[in-house]
Amino acid sequence: MALPPEWRTRLRLPLIAAPMLHVSGPALVVAACRAGVIGAFPAANCQQHGELQAWIGEIRRAIGDTASAAPFAVNLIVRSATLADDLACVVREKVELVITSVGSPAALVGPLHDAGCRVFADVATLAHAEKALAAGVDGLVLLCAGAGGQSGWLSPFAGVRAVRALFEGPLIVAGGLADGHALWAAQVLGADLGYMGTRFIATHESLASDAHRRMVVDATCDDIVSSSAFTGLPVNWLRPSLVAAGLDPGALDADALRAGNAELYGTREAHHPRRWTELFSAGHSVSGVHAVQPVAALVDELACEHDLARQRSHTLGAAGPSRFPRTTP
């Protein structure tokens, strides 16, 4: 593992509960960290002045002894209108880990490193990865096909191996991780950590609405629609939420929406559905969500599956190559 040595004893599983808009808050982060996985939240979820600092303080007080709890991370959206204030806050608070997304991290790395923060950056292509590494980030979060929210297009099988060829540091894979078996598979591919969001939507501690939780539980991966119509970036949406908003999932034209009324999505005008709060996002891993449960129970389940996958892998390895003998023509 390319992770910092001081993190290894604090993690029960090599996993980050991914930061999700309108879903990740202090309760979810605290529960994740106590359960032994890295909790994370977007600074953009803090709506009031001073709320980001308050959340960081609340999380630290609830976690208590940082030597026994997993680290937590703050996600900074580079294109956010509040980036300057958010950056100043995490620098002042010396947050252990910062994850950047939607834009180049180049201007953030220096101040964050000066404050002792580690910096991971979301990337969706090899070009993104190379630019982030040139900016001096400490780790990469590779957004692959199947990730909820902002998604990528690369297969994790190809993407992880391609990034590993150019980077030996911490590599996190996002996209379709539904259970502990998938988490173990990500490690076998070469990732150090998995990035799991959708499973944590359907937890008691998330900020998600009951409607969002129910839809995630009821959905399968066939209910996921990828579209850049509402944000200008590829995002995976839950088909039932699009239909409930009166939209045709098969006729989402990004150019038409952006040229017409896309700027109204996200506003509080009653006649337009709001992204994230009425148009719900989720990843392909919805097929692995069967109930709303506490974070602690979810992590217990993931840990059992991860152990089973690891044992099976070792059993297959112990069988040796003779288990599948090659026939010589």
Side-chain angles (χ1 to χ4, degrees):
M1 294 174 70
L3 297 179
E6 64 270 23
W7 286 8
R8 297 177 192 173
T9 58
R10 297 164 61 188
L11 293 177
R12 181 182 183 188
L13 285 174
L15 182 66
I16 296 176
M20 295 173 282
L21 288 169
H22 297 281
V23 172
S24 304
L28 178 54
V29 171
V30 168
C33 292
R34 284 177 171 170
V37 302
I38 296 173
F41 71 93
N45 281 355
C46 301
Q47 300 296 314
Q48 306 297 324
H49 178 71
E51 193 170 15
L52 177 56
Q53 183 175 352
W55 278 23
I56 293 171
E58 179 181 346
I59 291 166
R60 283 177 167 158
R61 287 190 297 273
I63 290 174
D65 181 12
T66 56
S68 58
F72 73 90
V74 175
N75 166 223
L76 294 182
I77 299 174
V78 176
R79 296 182 187 175
S80 169
T82 61
L83 177 62
D85 289 341
D86 295 341
L87 175 61
C89 181
V90 297
V91 165
R92 185 169 60 250
E93 294 295 323
K94 300 183 185 298
V95 174
E96 193 168 1
L97 174 62
V98 172
I99 301 171
T100 69
S101 61
V102 195
S104 170
L108 282 63
V109 172
L112 290 169
H113 279 172
D114 288 344
C117 309
R118 286 188 171 88
V119 184
F120 292 176
D122 279 4
V123 298
T125 67
L126 289 182
H128 290 159
E130 290 169 345
K131 290 177 180 178
L133 293 174
V137 301
D138 304 293
L140 299 173
V141 179
L142 180 61
L143 301 177
C144 294
Q150 185 188 347
S151 187
W153 65 275
L154 285 171
S155 159
F157 290 99
V160 171
R161 299 312 302 159
V163 173
R164 261 294 169 242
L166 55 89
F167 179 56
E168 296 181 354
L171 176 57
I172 300 88
V173 62
L177 299 185
D179 53 30
H181 300 280
L183 180 59
W184 175 252
Q187 290 179 270
V188 172
L189 277 175
D192 296 291
L193 295 167
Y195 213 56
M196 186 179 289
T198 299
R199 290 296 306 270
F200 285 91
I201 295 173
T203 59
H204 296 310
E205 295 88 348
S206 83
L207 296 175
S209 66
D210 289 340
H212 194 178
R213 292 191 184 102
R214 284 196 304 271
M215 198 173 290
V216 167
V217 171
D218 294 341
T220 72
C221 49
D222 284 349
D223 291 308
I224 302 301
V225 176
S226 181
S227 175
S228 59
F230 307 103
T231 68
L233 296 170
V235 173
N236 280 327
W237 303 97
L238 281 161
R239 183 187 304 273
S241 73
L242 300 175
V243 173
L247 300 171
D248 180 356
L252 297 176
D253 186 293
D255 292 334
L257 281 173
R258 282 200 297 272
N261 63 357
E263 68 275 11
L264 297 176
Y265 288 113
T267 71
R268 298 185 180 275
E269 296 191 27
H271 58 288
H272 288 292
R274 287 178 285 165
R275 61 194 183 211
W276 316 120
T277 56
E278 291 174 271
L279 303 179
F280 297 137
S281 177
H284 291 176
S285 56
V286 288
S287 284
V289 185
H290 307 297
V292 178
Q293 59 189 150
V295 167
L298 170 57
V299 174
D300 284 345
E301 182 181 313
L302 296 172
C304 288
E305 294 165 346
H306 187 260
D307 285 342
L308 286 173
R310 180 171 54 188
Q311 291 167 15
R312 183 172 185 272
S313 178
H314 291 164
T315 299
L316 289 172
S322 61
R323 184 176 176 87
F324 299 104
R326 175 180 294 177
T327 301
T328 304

